[in-house]
Amino acid sequence: MYDVIIIGGGVAGAASARELSRYKVNACVLEKEEDVCCGTSKANSAIVHAGYDAQTGSLMAKLNVRGNEMMEQLSKDLDFPFKRTGSLVICLNEEDMPGLQALYDRGVANGVKDLQILNREQVLEMEPNIVDNVYAALYAPTAGIVCPFNLNIALAENAYENGVDFKFNTEVQNIRKTEEGWALETNQGVYETKYVVNAAGVYADKFHNMVSEKKIHITPRRGDYCLLDKTAGNHVSRTIFALPTKYGKGVLVTPTVHGNLLVGPTAIDIDDKEGTSTTREGLDELITKAGQNVKNLPMRQVITSFAGLRAHEDGHEFLIGELEDAKGFVDCAGIESPGLTSCPAIGEMVADILKEKMGLEEKENFIATRKGILDPDTLTKEERAELIQKEPAYGNIICRCEMITEGEIIDAIRRPLGAKSLDGVKRRTRAGMGRCQSGFCSPRTMEILAREWGVSMSDITKTGGESRLVVGTNKDTL
């Protein structure tokens, strides 16, 4: 019997687990995939939004601004990449100025600091690759960029270090009320708990509707992206948005914390909650729309394309709170953009709800910090030489594109909630994310995974489940 079970190991679930781990509570995260950060949280724009988009007074607006304020200190505490680069919303015509002014006014009302409306000359001085016919732009210096993988993983690792259990490959199939709380029927057996936190992303409506008469509906909204090589990383230095529409913030162009350039997303409503395939039409659309705001985009430098799903709730609002007709069941649903930005504040809010409901006491020994994987590039030449002498694996380059060493990959596997698959290593170290997209390093990474886990190469998967990379061979020969 757990005190709290959280369904879902994305940023909302991991942030809730981390904040809950401040208290004396027996908590567990159930994740249907083989790792954290396998759903919406792994495929998004990686933007820390300033907070001028959401409607004033909404939970989205409140948690966006609060999450933005928390992100910098959190990145220091948990050691993940974050940069406060600023953003520009581009206005191309004088007749669209009322829309830009409305964004500014909403941002001020939401508590966003230091917003400015810039004229054409100011915009082009700031970003020379903005289209020549720009008329004005909204500048938000508090916006930023983050590594969504490392944010999610850092939150989960810190929660685990503070006593939260994580159960992977554990899919919740049914939820029923019991005398003491809830029974969660999974493919790995039944888990019992006093409280449930529903942080299941695009599946959150499924679990909500199992226990409540007041139904909700979440639409998977697919967004296609193109990722460009690091040679294109300086094309813009801030996140460049178009004026938003009813479908969201439109196609953006942004640098990433690792030096690439990201273009996307589209916004296409679909029925398939696993529908993350890109389409030619979607990619053509985002390339066309991105070019309306940023000129000379070097699209020949695209190294990969991908798609992610946003959990769009019909009311376009975060749904966070205990259900009136299902006591002990706490929704954390409808977490679409700006969900990544808001996740520290979402976790804080969920933990506060449970603290009040359960009368939780704070721990005296809460571990507030976490150290990420050592990056040898951050060391001096002398320090690196000393490290390699002590640990020769840090002198063995496995991923040539990103210059990732065997030592970093071993750390990714051995650390708390360590990587079990090729994608698990990639999200933790970037091995395989470079120009060749793991064409060179994947066999070497698989060898290390097999050695560290004591299994055959044919047991290593791309991303868990049946996604094996070596098939049709005799295991004994590998």
Side-chain angles (χ1 to χ4, degrees):
M1 168 67 75
Y2 283 100
D3 295 323
V4 181
I5 286 180
I6 299 167
I7 305 174
V11 288
S16 298
R18 193 258 178 171
E19 287 300 316
L20 194 59
S21 72
R22 295 178 181 274
Y23 303 100
K24 298 175 182 177
V25 63
N26 186 18
C28 177
V29 174
L30 300 183
E31 170 55 53
K32 71 185 181 73
E33 304 294 344
E34 55 93 32
D35 199 355
V36 297
C37 198
C38 286
T40 297
S41 302
K42 76 172 182 182
N44 53 67
S45 305
I47 302 301
V48 176
H49 293 282
Y52 48 73
D53 285 290
Q55 291 298 320
T56 302
S58 67
L59 195 55
M60 271 188 176
K62 175 185 174 184
L63 297 183
N64 184 344
V65 173
R66 172 65 179 155
N68 180 294
E69 291 172 348
M70 296 173 70
M71 194 66 73
E72 189 161 358
Q73 185 59 51
L74 188 67
S75 72
K76 295 174 182 175
D77 290 343
L78 299 186
D79 194 21
F80 59 84
F82 165 72
K83 295 179 182 178
R84 203 173 288 284
T85 52
S87 67
L88 292 168
V89 180
I90 302 301
C91 177
L92 298 176
N93 305 291
E94 185 176 2
E95 53 265 33
D96 291 331
M97 280 299 293
L100 197 72
Q101 184 66 48
L103 274 188
Y104 173 87
D105 293 340
R106 188 184 304 156
V108 172
N110 290 351
V112 181
K113 297 175 182 177
D114 302 325
L115 288 173
Q116 303 173 52
I117 291 182
L118 307 180
N119 61 31
R120 177 180 182 276
E121 290 72 24
Q122 290 172 311
V123 174
L124 292 176
E125 183 179 358
M126 190 176 282
E127 291 288 351
N129 283 319
I130 299 297
V131 290
D132 295 331
N133 62 322
V134 60
Y135 184 81
L138 176 65
Y139 174 47
T142 59
I145 51 178
V146 70
C147 176
F149 317 121
N150 276 295
L151 166 58
N152 198 157
I153 291 163
L155 290 164
E157 284 186 1
N158 190 233
Y160 178 80
E161 287 287 272
N162 281 294
V164 177
D165 289 342
F166 281 77
K167 306 293 183 183
F168 295 108
N169 299 308
T170 305
E171 182 176 2
V172 178
Q173 298 167 332
N174 189 44
I175 303 174
R176 53 185 170 81
K177 196 78 177 77
T178 65
E179 287 186 9
E180 292 184 293
W182 301 92
L184 278 62
E185 299 171 0
T186 80
N187 61 331
Q188 302 292 343
V190 178
Y191 289 83
E192 294 193 57
T193 182
K194 296 172 186 174
Y195 283 80
V196 173
V197 175
N198 174 26
V202 293
Y203 290 96
D205 56 347
K206 170 186 172 182
F207 298 123
H208 171 105
N209 294 340
M210 282 181 182
V211 304
S212 176
E213 292 299 317
K214 298 178 180 178
K215 307 303 182 186
I216 64 172
H217 178 251
I218 288 175
T219 301
R221 179 166 286 175
R222 195 188 80 228
D224 301 85
Y225 291 89
C226 287
L227 183 70
L228 281 65
D229 188 59
K230 290 182 178 180
T231 55
N234 293 325
H235 198 73
V236 294
S237 57
R238 297 163 186 82
T239 301
I240 310 301
F241 293 106
L243 270 172
T245 69
K246 66 177 181 178
Y247 290 105
K249 303 172 186 69
V251 172
L252 60 84
V253 179
T254 185
T256 72
V257 289
H258 298 292
N260 298 84
L261 192 72
L262 185 67
V263 179
T266 53
I268 302 166
D269 290 347
I270 61 175
D271 295 322
D272 184 2
K273 292 181 183 286
E274 299 291 335
T276 55
S277 299
T278 57
T279 65
R280 180 64 201 224
E281 295 77 16
L283 296 175
D284 285 345
E285 177 189 342
L286 75 86
I287 291 169
T288 299
K289 289 186 174 179
Q292 293 171 358
N293 294 302
V294 179
K295 64 186 180 184
N296 302 322
L297 275 170
M299 298 308 295
R300 290 178 65 86
Q301 298 299 316
V302 171
I303 59 174
T304 190
S305 59
F306 62 93
L309 299 178
R310 284 160 276 178
H312 176 68
E313 190 271 326
D314 288 353
H316 189 51
E317 173 65 305
F318 295 160
L319 303 178
I320 302 175
E322 185 180 37
L323 303 190
E324 291 181 2
D325 62 345
K327 297 301 181 185
F329 190 98
V330 178
D331 259 342
C332 187
I335 310 300
E336 59 177 318
S337 181
L340 187 71
T341 308
S342 305
C343 74
I346 290 171
E348 193 177 58
M349 182 175 178
V350 169
D352 284 346
I353 291 169
L354 292 168
K355 176 187 176 183
E356 182 179 342
K357 295 289 180 183
M358 304 172 71
L360 299 178
E361 297 179 19
E362 288 193 26
K363 291 176 180 174
E364 295 177 356
N365 59 344
F366 174 70
I367 303 167
T369 59
R370 165 260 190 194
K371 191 66 181 170
I373 293 170
L374 172 64
D375 179 0
D377 288 341
T378 62
L379 304 177
T380 65
K381 186 177 180 180
E382 291 75 18
E383 289 171 336
R384 185 164 186 162
E386 185 179 343
L387 172 66
I388 292 170
Q389 187 173 16
K390 183 180 178 182
E391 298 285 348
Y394 283 98
N396 183 17
I397 301 294
I398 301 298
C399 174
R400 293 182 179 180
C401 297
E402 297 291 326
M403 297 299 288
I404 305 301
T405 66
E406 181 182 3
E408 292 164 87
I409 294 172
I410 291 172
D411 189 358
I413 297 167
R414 293 181 181 177
R415 66 193 296 107
L417 306 180
K420 299 181 284 291
S421 67
L422 206 58
D423 280 0
V425 170
K426 180 168 71 173
R427 286 191 289 270
R428 286 164 174 81
T429 66
R430 293 188 57 76
M433 283 194 181
R435 183 178 295 186
C436 85
Q437 287 291 289
S438 77
F440 174 79
C441 65
S442 56
R444 301 290 306 282
T445 303
M446 290 171 65
E447 289 175 2
I448 298 168
L449 277 162
R451 183 189 73 210
E452 289 295 314
W453 286 108
V455 299
S456 165
M457 281 271 281
S458 61
D459 292 321
I460 301 302
T461 65
K462 183 180 187 298
T463 184
E466 298 300 317
S467 61
R468 290 183 177 84
L469 294 150
V470 178
V471 295
T473 60
N474 184 343
K475 288 186 179 183
D476 295 332
T477 67
L478 293 173

PDB file of all heavy atoms in Angstrom, residues 8 15 18 37 48 66 75 125 129 136 236 240 252 257 278 280 314 339 356 360 399 402 409 473 478:
ATOM      1  N   GLY A   8       2.627   8.179 -14.712  1.00  0.00           N
ATOM      2  CA  GLY A   8       3.329   8.932 -15.743  1.00  0.00           C
ATOM      3  C   GLY A   8       4.654   9.490 -15.274  1.00  0.00           C
ATOM      4  O   GLY A   8       4.732  10.161 -14.237  1.00  0.00           O
ATOM      5  N   ALA A  15       8.184  16.043 -11.827  1.00  0.00           N
ATOM      6  CA  ALA A  15       8.220  17.238 -10.975  1.00  0.00           C
ATOM      7  C   ALA A  15       7.348  17.048  -9.740  1.00  0.00           C
ATOM      8  O   ALA A  15       7.721  17.455  -8.634  1.00  0.00           O
ATOM      9  CB  ALA A  15       7.759  18.460 -11.764  1.00  0.00           C
ATOM     10  N   ARG A  18       9.246  14.759  -7.413  1.00  0.00           N
ATOM     11  CA  ARG A  18      10.365  15.439  -6.767  1.00  0.00           C
ATOM     12  C   ARG A  18       9.891  16.336  -5.628  1.00  0.00           C
ATOM     13  O   ARG A  18      10.466  16.341  -4.536  1.00  0.00           O
ATOM     14  CB  ARG A  18      11.132  16.251  -7.816  1.00  0.00           C
ATOM     15  CG  ARG A  18      12.494  16.741  -7.344  1.00  0.00           C
ATOM     16  CD  ARG A  18      12.523  18.196  -6.954  1.00  0.00           C
ATOM     17  NE  ARG A  18      13.850  18.575  -6.471  1.00  0.00           N
ATOM     18  CZ  ARG A  18      14.222  19.821  -6.213  1.00  0.00           C
ATOM     19  NH1 ARG A  18      13.371  20.826  -6.397  1.00  0.00           N
ATOM     20  NH2 ARG A  18      15.421  20.087  -5.748  1.00  0.00           N
ATOM     21  N   CYS A  37      10.593  10.262 -19.497  1.00  0.00           N
ATOM     22  CA  CYS A  37      10.765  11.148 -20.659  1.00  0.00           C
ATOM     23  C   CYS A  37      10.598  10.404 -21.983  1.00  0.00           C
ATOM     24  O   CYS A  37      11.404  10.540 -22.897  1.00  0.00           O
ATOM     25  CB  CYS A  37      12.123  11.845 -20.611  1.00  0.00           C
ATOM     26  SG  CYS A  37      12.244  13.312 -21.670  1.00  0.00           S
ATOM     27  N   VAL A  48      11.466  27.709 -22.607  1.00  0.00           N
ATOM     28  CA  VAL A  48      10.962  28.209 -21.331  1.00  0.00           C
ATOM     29  C   VAL A  48      10.237  29.520 -21.647  1.00  0.00           C
ATOM     30  O   VAL A  48      10.863  30.555 -21.865  1.00  0.00           O
ATOM     31  CB  VAL A  48      12.095  28.411 -20.313  1.00  0.00           C
ATOM     32  CG1 VAL A  48      11.561  29.032 -19.026  1.00  0.00           C
ATOM     33  CG2 VAL A  48      12.769  27.074 -20.018  1.00  0.00           C
ATOM     34  N   ARG A  66       5.310  31.374 -12.802  1.00  0.00           N
ATOM     35  CA  ARG A  66       5.972  30.809 -11.632  1.00  0.00           C
ATOM     36  C   ARG A  66       7.055  29.804 -12.050  1.00  0.00           C
ATOM     37  O   ARG A  66       8.179  29.816 -11.525  1.00  0.00           O
ATOM     38  CB  ARG A  66       4.942  30.129 -10.733  1.00  0.00           C
ATOM     39  CG  ARG A  66       5.511  29.329  -9.562  1.00  0.00           C
ATOM     40  CD  ARG A  66       6.237  30.172  -8.560  1.00  0.00           C
ATOM     41  NE  ARG A  66       6.734  29.361  -7.447  1.00  0.00           N
ATOM     42  CZ  ARG A  66       7.774  29.685  -6.693  1.00  0.00           C
ATOM     43  NH1 ARG A  66       8.442  30.810  -6.916  1.00  0.00           N
ATOM     44  NH2 ARG A  66       8.155  28.905  -5.700  1.00  0.00           N
ATOM     45  N   SER A  75      17.764  24.673 -12.311  1.00  0.00           N
ATOM     46  CA  SER A  75      18.826  24.162 -13.194  1.00  0.00           C
ATOM     47  C   SER A  75      20.164  24.098 -12.463  1.00  0.00           C
ATOM     48  O   SER A  75      20.980  23.210 -12.728  1.00  0.00           O
ATOM     49  CB  SER A  75      18.940  25.028 -14.444  1.00  0.00           C
ATOM     50  OG  SER A  75      19.506  26.297 -14.157  1.00  0.00           O
ATOM     51  N   GLU A 125      18.472  44.936 -35.699  1.00  0.00           N
ATOM     52  CA  GLU A 125      19.756  45.092 -35.007  1.00  0.00           C
ATOM     53  C   GLU A 125      19.986  43.917 -34.052  1.00  0.00           C
ATOM     54  O   GLU A 125      21.106  43.426 -33.905  1.00  0.00           O
ATOM     55  CB  GLU A 125      19.782  46.409 -34.234  1.00  0.00           C
ATOM     56  CG  GLU A 125      21.112  46.669 -33.541  1.00  0.00           C
ATOM     57  CD  GLU A 125      21.137  48.001 -32.790  1.00  0.00           C
ATOM     58  OE1 GLU A 125      20.131  48.737 -32.845  1.00  0.00           O
ATOM     59  OE2 GLU A 125      22.167  48.287 -32.169  1.00  0.00           O
ATOM     60  N   ASN A 129      18.816  38.155 -39.136  1.00  0.00           N
ATOM     61  CA  ASN A 129      18.196  37.201 -40.051  1.00  0.00           C
ATOM     62  C   ASN A 129      16.673  37.175 -39.985  1.00  0.00           C
ATOM     63  O   ASN A 129      16.049  36.302 -40.598  1.00  0.00           O
ATOM     64  CB  ASN A 129      18.760  35.797 -39.813  1.00  0.00           C
ATOM     65  CG  ASN A 129      20.138  35.626 -40.421  1.00  0.00           C
ATOM     66  OD1 ASN A 129      20.390  36.088 -41.524  1.00  0.00           O
ATOM     67  ND2 ASN A 129      21.038  34.994 -39.688  1.00  0.00           N
ATOM     68  N   ALA A 136       7.402  45.077 -36.468  1.00  0.00           N
ATOM     69  CA  ALA A 136       7.663  45.261 -35.032  1.00  0.00           C
ATOM     70  C   ALA A 136       7.779  43.884 -34.388  1.00  0.00           C
ATOM     71  O   ALA A 136       7.574  42.855 -35.040  1.00  0.00           O
ATOM     72  CB  ALA A 136       6.547  46.071 -34.383  1.00  0.00           C
ATOM     73  N   VAL A 236      19.907  32.339 -35.532  1.00  0.00           N
ATOM     74  CA  VAL A 236      19.254  33.292 -34.627  1.00  0.00           C
ATOM     75  C   VAL A 236      19.786  33.020 -33.230  1.00  0.00           C
ATOM     76  O   VAL A 236      20.235  31.908 -32.931  1.00  0.00           O
ATOM     77  CB  VAL A 236      17.709  33.165 -34.641  1.00  0.00           C
ATOM     78  CG1 VAL A 236      17.133  33.553 -35.995  1.00  0.00           C
ATOM     79  CG2 VAL A 236      17.263  31.764 -34.245  1.00  0.00           C
ATOM     80  N   ILE A 240      12.323  32.749 -31.985  1.00  0.00           N
ATOM     81  CA  ILE A 240      11.554  33.613 -32.878  1.00  0.00           C
ATOM     82  C   ILE A 240      10.175  32.993 -33.089  1.00  0.00           C
ATOM     83  O   ILE A 240      10.046  31.906 -33.668  1.00  0.00           O
ATOM     84  CB  ILE A 240      12.261  33.796 -34.230  1.00  0.00           C
ATOM     85  CG1 ILE A 240      13.739  34.191 -34.030  1.00  0.00           C
ATOM     86  CG2 ILE A 240      11.514  34.814 -35.081  1.00  0.00           C
ATOM     87  CD1 ILE A 240      13.947  35.474 -33.259  1.00  0.00           C
ATOM     88  N   LEU A 252       8.040  28.121 -34.775  1.00  0.00           N
ATOM     89  CA  LEU A 252       9.119  28.942 -34.214  1.00  0.00           C
ATOM     90  C   LEU A 252      10.451  28.509 -34.789  1.00  0.00           C
ATOM     91  O   LEU A 252      10.588  27.421 -35.351  1.00  0.00           O
ATOM     92  CB  LEU A 252       9.130  28.841 -32.688  1.00  0.00           C
ATOM     93  CG  LEU A 252       9.329  27.449 -32.057  1.00  0.00           C
ATOM     94  CD1 LEU A 252      10.798  27.068 -31.948  1.00  0.00           C
ATOM     95  CD2 LEU A 252       8.672  27.378 -30.689  1.00  0.00           C
ATOM     96  N   VAL A 257      19.967  24.523 -26.431  1.00  0.00           N
ATOM     97  CA  VAL A 257      21.030  24.679 -25.432  1.00  0.00           C
ATOM     98  C   VAL A 257      22.310  23.964 -25.847  1.00  0.00           C
ATOM     99  O   VAL A 257      23.381  24.241 -25.315  1.00  0.00           O
ATOM    100  CB  VAL A 257      20.595  24.175 -24.034  1.00  0.00           C
ATOM    101  CG1 VAL A 257      19.564  25.097 -23.417  1.00  0.00           C
ATOM    102  CG2 VAL A 257      20.103  22.747 -24.093  1.00  0.00           C
ATOM    103  N   THR A 278       6.144  11.628 -38.649  1.00  0.00           N
ATOM    104  CA  THR A 278       6.145  12.876 -39.410  1.00  0.00           C
ATOM    105  C   THR A 278       5.489  12.639 -40.769  1.00  0.00           C
ATOM    106  O   THR A 278       5.397  11.502 -41.239  1.00  0.00           O
ATOM    107  CB  THR A 278       7.570  13.398 -39.635  1.00  0.00           C
ATOM    108  OG1 THR A 278       8.336  12.384 -40.302  1.00  0.00           O
ATOM    109  CG2 THR A 278       8.235  13.758 -38.313  1.00  0.00           C
ATOM    110  N   ARG A 280       5.196  14.348 -44.919  1.00  0.00           N
ATOM    111  CA  ARG A 280       5.803  15.274 -45.868  1.00  0.00           C
ATOM    112  C   ARG A 280       5.071  16.612 -45.840  1.00  0.00           C
ATOM    113  O   ARG A 280       5.679  17.683 -45.876  1.00  0.00           O
ATOM    114  CB  ARG A 280       5.756  14.671 -47.276  1.00  0.00           C
ATOM    115  CG  ARG A 280       6.370  15.585 -48.346  1.00  0.00           C
ATOM    116  CD  ARG A 280       7.848  15.776 -48.084  1.00  0.00           C
ATOM    117  NE  ARG A 280       8.369  16.945 -48.722  1.00  0.00           N
ATOM    118  CZ  ARG A 280       9.528  16.976 -49.382  1.00  0.00           C
ATOM    119  NH1 ARG A 280      10.237  15.876 -49.485  1.00  0.00           N
ATOM    120  NH2 ARG A 280       9.970  18.084 -49.916  1.00  0.00           N
ATOM    121  N   ASP A 314      -9.901  20.119 -24.149  1.00  0.00           N
ATOM    122  CA  ASP A 314     -10.865  20.919 -24.913  1.00  0.00           C
ATOM    123  C   ASP A 314     -10.982  22.361 -24.423  1.00  0.00           C
ATOM    124  O   ASP A 314     -11.194  23.276 -25.216  1.00  0.00           O
ATOM    125  CB  ASP A 314     -12.253  20.258 -24.878  1.00  0.00           C
ATOM    126  CG  ASP A 314     -12.310  18.985 -25.728  1.00  0.00           C
ATOM    127  OD1 ASP A 314     -11.321  18.703 -26.445  1.00  0.00           O
ATOM    128  OD2 ASP A 314     -13.327  18.270 -25.669  1.00  0.00           O
ATOM    129  N   GLY A 339       3.574  23.595 -20.706  1.00  0.00           N
ATOM    130  CA  GLY A 339       3.746  22.598 -19.651  1.00  0.00           C
ATOM    131  C   GLY A 339       5.182  22.387 -19.230  1.00  0.00           C
ATOM    132  O   GLY A 339       5.467  22.207 -18.036  1.00  0.00           O
ATOM    133  N   GLU A 356      -1.679  19.182   2.059  1.00  0.00           N
ATOM    134  CA  GLU A 356      -2.854  19.637   2.803  1.00  0.00           C
ATOM    135  C   GLU A 356      -3.827  18.489   3.057  1.00  0.00           C
ATOM    136  O   GLU A 356      -4.357  18.342   4.168  1.00  0.00           O
ATOM    137  CB  GLU A 356      -3.555  20.747   2.016  1.00  0.00           C
ATOM    138  CG  GLU A 356      -4.764  21.321   2.743  1.00  0.00           C
ATOM    139  CD  GLU A 356      -5.433  22.434   1.962  1.00  0.00           C
ATOM    140  OE1 GLU A 356      -4.809  22.998   1.042  1.00  0.00           O
ATOM    141  OE2 GLU A 356      -6.615  22.734   2.267  1.00  0.00           O
ATOM    142  N   LEU A 360       1.003  16.063   5.500  1.00  0.00           N
ATOM    143  CA  LEU A 360       2.380  15.577   5.384  1.00  0.00           C
ATOM    144  C   LEU A 360       3.366  16.455   6.142  1.00  0.00           C
ATOM    145  O   LEU A 360       3.206  17.672   6.204  1.00  0.00           O
ATOM    146  CB  LEU A 360       2.789  15.519   3.907  1.00  0.00           C
ATOM    147  CG  LEU A 360       1.958  14.602   3.009  1.00  0.00           C
ATOM    148  CD1 LEU A 360       2.449  14.684   1.577  1.00  0.00           C
ATOM    149  CD2 LEU A 360       2.002  13.157   3.505  1.00  0.00           C
ATOM    150  N   CYS A 399      31.036   8.613 -29.416  1.00  0.00           N
ATOM    151  CA  CYS A 399      30.248   9.405 -30.367  1.00  0.00           C
ATOM    152  C   CYS A 399      31.118  10.551 -30.868  1.00  0.00           C
ATOM    153  O   CYS A 399      31.402  11.488 -30.131  1.00  0.00           O
ATOM    154  CB  CYS A 399      28.978   9.943 -29.699  1.00  0.00           C
ATOM    155  SG  CYS A 399      28.024  11.080 -30.724  1.00  0.00           S
ATOM    156  N   GLU A 402      29.288  14.283 -31.309  1.00  0.00           N
ATOM    157  CA  GLU A 402      29.080  15.049 -30.077  1.00  0.00           C
ATOM    158  C   GLU A 402      30.248  14.910 -29.111  1.00  0.00           C
ATOM    159  O   GLU A 402      30.216  15.493 -28.024  1.00  0.00           O
ATOM    160  CB  GLU A 402      27.784  14.604 -29.388  1.00  0.00           C
ATOM    161  CG  GLU A 402      26.518  14.864 -30.200  1.00  0.00           C
ATOM    162  CD  GLU A 402      26.207  16.347 -30.323  1.00  0.00           C
ATOM    163  OE1 GLU A 402      26.490  17.093 -29.360  1.00  0.00           O
ATOM    164  OE2 GLU A 402      25.686  16.746 -31.374  1.00  0.00           O
ATOM    165  N   ILE A 409      28.990   7.481 -21.024  1.00  0.00           N
ATOM    166  CA  ILE A 409      27.960   6.470 -21.288  1.00  0.00           C
ATOM    167  C   ILE A 409      27.842   5.506 -20.113  1.00  0.00           C
ATOM    168  O   ILE A 409      26.736   5.137 -19.697  1.00  0.00           O
ATOM    169  CB  ILE A 409      28.269   5.735 -22.607  1.00  0.00           C
ATOM    170  CG1 ILE A 409      28.144   6.710 -23.784  1.00  0.00           C
ATOM    171  CG2 ILE A 409      27.341   4.538 -22.796  1.00  0.00           C
ATOM    172  CD1 ILE A 409      28.610   6.159 -25.108  1.00  0.00           C
ATOM    173  N   THR A 473      19.703 -13.582 -35.294  1.00  0.00           N
ATOM    174  CA  THR A 473      21.054 -14.120 -35.061  1.00  0.00           C
ATOM    175  C   THR A 473      21.024 -15.084 -33.890  1.00  0.00           C
ATOM    176  O   THR A 473      20.078 -15.128 -33.107  1.00  0.00           O
ATOM    177  CB  THR A 473      22.038 -13.000 -34.746  1.00  0.00           C
ATOM    178  OG1 THR A 473      21.601 -12.316 -33.571  1.00  0.00           O
ATOM    179  CG2 THR A 473      22.135 -12.006 -35.889  1.00  0.00           C
ATOM    180  N   LEU A 478      26.989 -13.679 -30.085  1.00  0.00           N
ATOM    181  CA  LEU A 478      27.163 -12.238 -29.934  1.00  0.00           C
ATOM    182  C   LEU A 478      27.959 -11.906 -28.680  1.00  0.00           C
ATOM    183  O   LEU A 478      27.800 -12.556 -27.668  1.00  0.00           O
ATOM    184  CB  LEU A 478      25.788 -11.548 -29.865  1.00  0.00           C
ATOM    185  CG  LEU A 478      24.982 -11.623 -31.165  1.00  0.00           C
ATOM    186  CD1 LEU A 478      23.592 -11.080 -30.929  1.00  0.00           C
ATOM    187  CD2 LEU A 478      25.661 -10.805 -32.251  1.00  0.00           C
TER     188      LEU A 478
END
